[in-house]
Amino acid sequence: MDTVKRPDKRAERSRRTRAKVIEAARELFVAQGYGATSLQEVADRAGVAVQTVYFVFGTKRALFKDVVDASIAGDAEPVATMEREWFRAACAAPTAAGQLREHVRGTGEILGRVAPIMSMIAAAGAADPQIAAQWPDGPDPRYTVQRAAAEALVGKPDARPGVSAELAADLLFGLLSPQLYLLFVQDRGWAPDAWEEWAHATLAAQLCT
């Protein structure tokens, strides 16, 4: 007789608590800055004891890193971008055009979450130089993701001949950057959909036949 695995209620409660604290911290960090926000304020906003915040995250720096990581991912689950369903589905598209459409859309959703906290990240790094030390040295993770997408794209039948994976990665890395997204959407007032159409059309002209 097959046994049915019962849901781990404790693990689920822990996951929900972690997500609540991360969301509360994001709201406070954006509203009043990293340096001005205490863990007690985060706990109050999340509706948990401050000891819980210390137990789960340890330090405010560690909580900040989780806020940034969750903003990129869209949730608090420890799943890397290249393992996310949207990224894997885009890379599995049979055509370069199809992959590019899904890749720009998925990247745009990330940028929409990350853009509001870019100034917060810069200010936090200035206030606490050890913030940056929480991310490992090495290649820019954003470039690593775009390089993986580029390698999948250039091998497809409608990829533009002569475009190497290195060039495709550079184009994806540059045109899908947070800085360029902010320039159009925040500084120039473009709607995110308009940015997506522009980014897709510009990249398609360079990468697809």
Side-chain angles (χ1 to χ4, degrees):
M1 182 177 178
D2 294 336
T3 58
V4 177
K5 187 176 181 181
R6 295 175 181 272
D8 188 333
K9 293 182 179 180
R10 180 176 296 178
E12 178 59 22
R13 282 197 302 270
S14 176
R15 186 195 66 77
R16 288 200 303 266
T17 297
R18 185 181 188 87
K20 280 198 307 182
V21 173
I22 289 173
E23 181 56 29
R26 175 187 164 93
E27 292 170 358
L28 289 167
F29 289 160
V30 170
Q32 59 191 40
Y34 170 80
T37 300
S38 69
L39 290 184
Q40 182 64 62
E41 290 175 300
V42 173
D44 292 343
R45 174 69 67 93
V48 301
V50 70
Q51 291 85 352
T52 299
V53 178
Y54 280 110
F55 177 78
V56 175
F57 298 95
T59 66
K60 189 163 76 164
R61 291 190 193 102
L63 174 57
F64 179 83
K65 182 179 185 299
D66 277 4
V67 167
V68 175
D69 289 348
S71 296
I72 294 170
D75 56 50
E77 299 303 316
V79 180
T81 299
M82 288 189 293
E83 297 301 318
R84 294 270 165 176
E85 180 60 32
W86 75 266
F87 184 85
R88 293 165 67 92
C91 289
T95 64
Q99 177 186 342
L100 190 60
R101 170 62 72 183
E102 295 304 314
H103 185 73
V104 171
R105 180 175 296 117
T107 304
E109 290 176 358
I110 292 175
L111 293 174
R113 294 189 297 267
V114 172
I117 66 171
M118 290 295 292
S119 59
M120 178 199 77
I121 293 172
D128 185 349
Q130 294 185 51
I131 285 284
Q134 297 185 107
W135 281 273
D137 292 332
D140 187 325
R142 196 171 64 79
Y143 178 80
T144 300
V145 170
Q146 302 299 358
R147 178 63 188 240
E151 289 174 353
L153 188 145
V154 297
K156 293 176 179 174
D158 58 331
R160 183 169 291 280
V163 175
S164 65
E166 181 176 11
L167 175 57
D170 286 347
L171 291 170
L172 293 171
F173 183 71
L175 287 173
L176 302 181
S177 68
Q179 294 83 1
L180 201 55
Y181 180 91
L182 283 171
L183 176 66
F184 284 110
V185 174
Q186 180 174 287
D187 296 353
R188 301 308 308 154
W190 284 27
D193 287 349
W195 170 87
E196 181 183 322
E197 287 304 316
W198 170 82
H200 174 262
T202 304
L203 287 166
Q206 297 290 319
L207 299 176
C208 303
T209 55

